[in-house]
Amino acid sequence: MAIPNFQSVMLPLLQFAADGDEHTSAEAIEHIAKRFDLSDDERREMVPSGQQPRLNNRVAWSRTYLKNAGLLESTGRSRFRITNRGREVLARKPERIDVAFLMQFPEYVAFRNGTRKQESGDTISTVLLDSTDDSIETPEEQLASGYQRLHANLAQEILTRIMQSPPSFFEQLVVDLIIAMGYGGSRRDAGEAVGRSGDGGIDGIIKEDRLGLDAVYLQAKRWDGPVSRPVVQGFAGSLAGIHATKGILITTSRFTDDARTFVRNLGMKIVLIDGEQLAELMIEYGVGVTEVTRYTVKRLDLDYFEAE
């Protein structure tokens, strides 16, 4: 059974607390995992950010929603219990508790719409937590998923623009990326090395460090089609011919499985960078992209509030 979305967790979570006892978050997570018969792999599955198991995240958000609707109350750090309103809700025997169900409670509406009352009685509107009432993702998952979609679109745009640009631009791009990653010495050194041919299958030589204690040989291919094993073999042969042990083969397309298998079994070190990884590296090191905005997601510091 797949991990339930956070709205599907709400009713089982409230039923779990129906005994009126104080419960911990860990107990709730274990109960939901057993209730939905989740496997160990499903329990370990992480949210897109990789910061927390998806199950833990969904149980936590379900508890937050129920608490802000007045159905659960916090009794301490990561502890909670059912309220009188929660008991009344369960007495109605609802088939499901979700965002639409919680909209009947004014406290939840204020929470969802991000509103609060001032002492003067005026309402301040802040931020809407849910994009839709039937969303199956928690707000944190929505934020991470949206980021991943923007990231993937940007990577595709990068590759499209590279293919539309002249070959000389691709050579310059490779130089900029190598320098941004900390290789190549000065830009002048790297610029002179990359694009210089004459060694049969080698497009450039770059410094592995600023002092030039070791060299890395480079081949760059701005291709549409896949790079096959013979191409990689040719590059390896060129390296062997000059007694080189390190090489980087960069392409805007992809490498065949045979090409990758060949590299894994080599005695020398050849790194294959395909189009997808090239775009990822450009984004990571800020080459050809610019930052538009930045969001910082913060959590409550429970240690602060629990301090003696």
Side-chain angles (χ1 to χ4, degrees), residues 2-306:
I3 299 174
N5 65 67
F6 81 103
Q7 296 201 60
S8 298
V9 169
M10 291 185 195
L11 179 56
L13 182 59
L14 190 62
Q15 291 170 334
F16 169 65
D19 57 10
D21 292 339
E22 182 182 70
H23 293 284
T24 66
S25 296
E27 291 170 347
I29 292 169
E30 181 65 21
H31 173 80
I32 296 299
K34 291 180 178 178
R35 166 70 174 73
F36 288 91
D37 194 26
L38 300 182
S39 66
D40 290 340
D41 287 341
E42 288 168 333
R43 293 188 186 205
R44 289 191 293 265
E45 182 181 323
M46 306 296 284
V47 296
S49 65
Q51 298 297 312
Q52 184 184 33
R54 190 182 297 274
L55 174 63
N56 297 27
N57 180 264
R58 291 184 173 179
V59 172
W61 274 104
S62 296
R63 184 162 55 88
T64 295
Y65 278 42
L66 293 173
K67 179 174 71 70
N68 280 277
L71 308 185
L72 293 178
E73 62 180 355
S74 295
T75 57
R77 183 175 181 176
S78 298
R79 295 177 178 275
F80 65 94
R81 68 183 168 209
I82 196 169
T83 64
N84 289 334
R85 178 184 287 179
R87 292 189 181 90
E88 292 171 359
V89 166
L90 288 181
R92 295 186 234 160
K93 300 187 182 302
E95 294 183 1
R96 176 180 171 85
I97 296 178
D98 53 19
V99 168
F101 182 92
L102 298 181
M103 290 295 289
Q104 65 185 286
F105 305 113
E107 299 92 335
Y108 175 77
V109 174
F111 161 74
R112 180 183 183 276
N113 292 336
T115 61
R116 61 183 175 86
K117 293 281 188 178
Q118 285 184 309
E119 291 182 2
S120 63
D122 295 332
T123 298
I124 300 176
S125 179
T126 52
V127 64
L128 185 67
L129 287 173
D130 301 301
S131 58
T132 60
D133 286 348
D134 60 352
S135 172
I136 64 171
E137 292 186 313
T138 67
E140 187 174 340
E141 288 176 315
Q142 291 178 45
L143 182 61
S145 297
Y147 171 81
Q148 288 187 327
R149 286 193 295 271
L150 289 173
H151 192 91
N153 289 338
L154 175 59
Q156 187 57 52
E157 288 181 31
I158 287 173
L159 292 176
T160 299
R161 292 301 296 267
I162 291 175
M163 295 304 297
Q164 293 173 346
S165 303
S168 59
F169 177 82
F170 185 45
E171 294 177 2
Q172 176 185 329
L173 183 156
V174 170
V175 173
D176 291 340
L177 179 58
I178 289 170
I179 293 174
M181 294 176 67
Y183 300 96
S186 68
R187 197 191 190 292
R188 177 179 178 181
D189 292 339
E192 290 177 348
V194 178
R196 186 179 63 203
S197 59
D199 289 316
I202 296 175
D203 295 331
I205 307 169
I206 60 174
K207 296 176 182 178
E208 188 174 13
D209 55 79
R210 292 186 177 275
L211 297 178
L213 296 175
D214 204 352
V216 178
Y217 293 81
L218 175 73
Q219 187 177 91
K221 295 193 176 295
R222 195 183 63 138
W223 284 10
D224 283 320
V227 178
S228 61
R229 174 172 176 158
V231 175
V232 180
Q233 283 180 309
F235 181 50
S238 297
L239 295 179
I242 56 174
H243 306 290
T245 60
K246 298 177 181 178
I248 301 174
L249 182 51
I250 301 177
T251 182
T252 50
S253 59
R254 64 178 183 84
F255 295 95
T256 63
D257 292 340
D258 282 349
R260 293 191 178 278
T261 300
F262 173 75
V263 165
R264 284 196 294 269
N265 297 327
L266 272 179
M268 64 180 68
K269 182 65 175 179
I270 294 181
V271 175
L272 302 180
I273 300 178
D274 60 16
E276 181 179 343
Q277 187 178 3
L278 172 62
E280 291 292 333
L281 289 172
M282 290 177 64
I283 295 173
E284 179 179 353
Y285 289 94
V287 177
V289 298
T290 184
E291 184 174 298
V292 177
T293 189
R294 185 183 298 238
Y295 298 97
T296 301
V297 179
K298 297 185 178 182
R299 293 181 183 274
L300 185 68
D301 185 352
L302 295 174
D303 290 332
Y304 176 84
F305 289 97
E306 294 291 329

